[in-house]
Amino acid sequence: QLGTFSELIDGFDYFQRVHRSLILNFRNVKACKNSSVHFYKSQKPLEVSQLLEVKVKKILKGNE
């Protein structure tokens, strides 16, 4: 279950649970735009809701 992984990654700042079914590694996030999260070394973006996009952008801005 994702809750188990969530407990394991508590000590790592670059991993964050952003949704009940999604944990992101922010070291691999290249950009967040147009309701999708783009990753380094990946051609296909992850489609997200507009609310989740706003949340991810806030986290990315805080990590700069």
Side-chain angles (χ1 to χ4, degrees):
Q1 292 181 348
L2 200 56
T4 304
F5 289 108
S6 183
E7 292 173 7
L8 293 172
I9 62 170
D10 273 342
F12 300 96
D13 294 336
Y14 47 90
F15 283 103
Q16 191 160 353
R17 188 170 186 171
V18 294
H19 186 266
R20 66 184 182 102
S21 63
L22 181 63
I23 295 175
L24 286 178
N25 177 352
F26 284 94
R27 284 185 174 178
N28 292 328
V29 174
K30 180 172 32 173
C32 185
K33 57 186 175 184
N34 302 327
S35 294
S36 55
V37 179
H38 299 266
F39 300 96
Y40 295 108
K41 299 182 182 179
S42 177
Q43 298 295 322
K44 187 175 180 182
L46 174 67
E47 301 295 322
V48 294
S49 68
Q50 289 179 346
L51 280 172
L52 191 55
E53 178 184 6
V54 170
K55 185 175 183 178
V56 170
K57 283 182 177 180
K58 284 181 184 178
I59 295 169
L60 284 172
K61 193 172 187 178
N63 289 341
E64 290 179 349

